[in-house]
Amino acid sequence: MTRLFNDPSDFPEEARLGLVAANRDKLMAVPGGVVRSTRSEPGTVAVVIGGGSGHYPTFAGLVGQGLAHGAVMGNLFCSPSAQQVYSVAKAASNGGGVLLSFGNYAGDVLHFGEAKERLIAEGIPCEIVLVTDDVASAPLEELDKRRGIAGDLTVFKAAAAAAEKGLSLAEVVEVAREANRCTRSFGVAFAGCTLPGAADSLFRVPESRMAIGLGIHGEPGIGETDIPSADGLAEMLVNRLLEEIPEGFSIQEARVATILNGLGTIKYEELFVVYRKVDELLQRAGVTIVEPDVGELVTSLDMSGVSLTLFWLDKQMEPLWTAAANAPGYRKGSVKPAQALDPADVEVVVQDQIPDASDASRNVARGVVEALGVLSQTVNENCELLGQIDAVAGDGDHGIGMQRGSKAALEAANEALDGGAGVETVLQWAGQRWSDQAGGTSGAIWRVILKALGESLGNDKPLTGQCLAAGVIGARDQVMAFGKAKVGDKTLVDVLVPFAAALAKEAEAGKGIVASWEVAASVASEAADATAKLIPRVGRARPLAEKSVGTRDAGSVSLALIIQALIPVLKKCEAS
């Protein structure tokens, strides 16, 4: 259990600030994460990594000379927002382009991808390399669908060492992709992790059993077995990874970097007992081990678990793996002292100004703030239910993520309203703050929804049924284009599409706002219930797809609940 915290919602930010305070010689805080506090060579590539908080020393603990130039820090187990990625990348940029690298999770792919396009549009060359080392998350023929776990370190380390040598962006990207191709990981868990303030862990493993193929966000494993001896576990891990020797390598005379990783509560002495056998097995197989790491490198708060990573080395990769590095959570060799960076030289992204708005739009904006309050209350009342639904085949954090996001959105909307904003600006601020605080796929999707609604309603128009319906249609189109999900994939899209169609149909028929919304809300509720029959084809639930049959999709349920809860607010707005 995570015991030391103040307000649970402040935990990631307070941990970030504490990390920087303890490592000012290496780190500097910027909006969205951290960057090096030392100067890098001008014109070199900046390697920016990131993902959810809760995995220290990954990600922020891997920022420093010889390692990453910046780390984006999302909320606990949630991807950072596109704005946060953009902010950290701008601050870390050295003039040679930016490489973004992270584990292959849907929310991260969405947010980092959007930030990449924004950086390129501003003239900053940017590329993405996904880490896909987890052999349990997809078969070898679907390597691109595998998620990133402890192999993050090998990819980040190789790419950063290449950037430190002055290689071009294209060359650094090639190194990172090759490092990823040559990395394999496999893990087990004995107990789930607990978020600050939560009454229970995200998942449970029966006594004397272990989950096989766990995910680092609390995703359940793909199977269970009795807990073996330490030697038995070593044999399981080694044997599984030796089944997948990367193309171009043979086990005889191979040189391999090993990482035996503890996920939070396995003590170092336990890891050493297991590693003793790992070392013996690999050497017996003919493998030469190069600078192994045993310890906590990619954690999951207080999860009880272990993973083994093998990084197959050639003449190009070995010097990159053994190169010196000096970061708060990872040190190797001796780096050349670097000059401290003046904070004034770091580019910081600031909040947009509030544009002018009509009185009519400000009046609508007040109703929108009230609606966001109802939305937040609805999420709070159903938070536990949404988490339980999500935990069946996912990581169980949908309710908490929605709670964080909706609370932040309401706060941002009130700030914008107090500044004289119209409805478009209020919704844009709310969506951006939701994305920043919630992260994850749902954070990205709700930012898109609120942004699309704002674009339709504008900053100078009164509320009409046609504008509202057009906004929902716009949200549908943008969500599907952004997230690539389709009807039948068991996502929020399975509710959003029929809801938008029903609302547009009623509005075109000349019905009022409330009457149209009530009909469409009924359609949304039926669509959410129908997702129980579906098999997830995208997102974190996909590896455990069959397990989710019979359970509704959490994102669909939360959207349907919110749609229904907004009816009284719309009645009040229509009456005024």
Side-chain angles (χ1 to χ4, degrees), residues 217-229:
H217 300 90
E219 301 96 332
I222 58 174
E224 287 181 5
T225 187
D226 290 338
I227 297 177
S229 65

Side-chain angles (χ1 to χ4, degrees), residues 437-483:
Q437 294 301 312
T441 305
S442 67
I445 295 304
W446 275 95
R447 181 186 63 80
V448 171
I449 290 172
L450 297 182
K451 178 174 176 286
L453 287 170
E455 289 169 347
S456 178
L457 297 175
N459 277 329
D460 57 5
K461 295 182 288 188
L463 179 65
T464 66
Q466 289 72 24
C467 283
L468 186 58
V472 173
I473 290 291
R476 176 202 66 188
D477 294 344
Q478 291 185 36
V479 165
M480 293 181 73
F482 182 66

Side-chain angles (χ1 to χ4, degrees), residues 45 47 99 101 127-131 151-183 311-321 323:
V45 173
V47 176
L99 170 63
S101 190
E127 295 290 347
I128 285 176
V129 174
L130 303 177
V131 182
D152 282 351
L153 176 61
T154 68
V155 178
F156 300 162
K157 178 69 173 62
E164 209 81 18
K165 290 174 61 177
L167 272 62
S168 69
L169 178 59
E171 291 169 324
V172 172
V173 168
E174 183 179 350
V175 164
R177 287 176 178 160
E178 179 64 9
N180 181 62
R181 189 188 74 82
C182 297
T183 300
F311 180 26
W312 298 78
L313 302 171
D314 59 16
K315 291 181 180 180
Q316 178 192 30
M317 289 297 158
E318 184 167 338
L320 300 176
W321 173 248

Side-chain angles (χ1 to χ4, degrees), residues 17 68 78 119 146 150 175 232 279 359 451 524 527 557 571:
L17 296 177
C78 290
L119 290 165
R146 288 181 170 178
V175 164
D279 180 85
D359 290 339
K451 178 174 176 286
V557 171
K571 286 181 177 179

Side-chain angles (χ1 to χ4, degrees), residues 72-147:
V72 197
M73 302 171 66
N75 220 310
L76 290 172
F77 301 163
C78 290
S79 63
S81 70
Q83 175 69 15
Q84 290 169 324
V85 178
Y86 169 78
S87 168
V88 173
K90 289 274 285 188
S93 177
N94 302 315
V98 175
L99 170 63
L100 302 175
S101 190
F102 48 92
N104 187 23
Y105 296 89
D108 292 307
V109 173
L110 291 173
H111 290 294
F112 279 84
E114 184 180 351
K116 171 190 170 182
E117 296 306 315
R118 188 172 173 185
L119 290 165
I120 291 173
E122 293 188 8
I124 300 175
C126 183
E127 295 290 347
I128 285 176
V129 174
L130 303 177
V131 182
T132 56
D133 62 303
D134 181 16
V135 300
S137 55
L140 183 59
E141 57 269 23
E142 295 181 335
L143 187 65
D144 62 317
K145 293 182 180 179
R146 288 181 170 178
R147 61 196 173 199

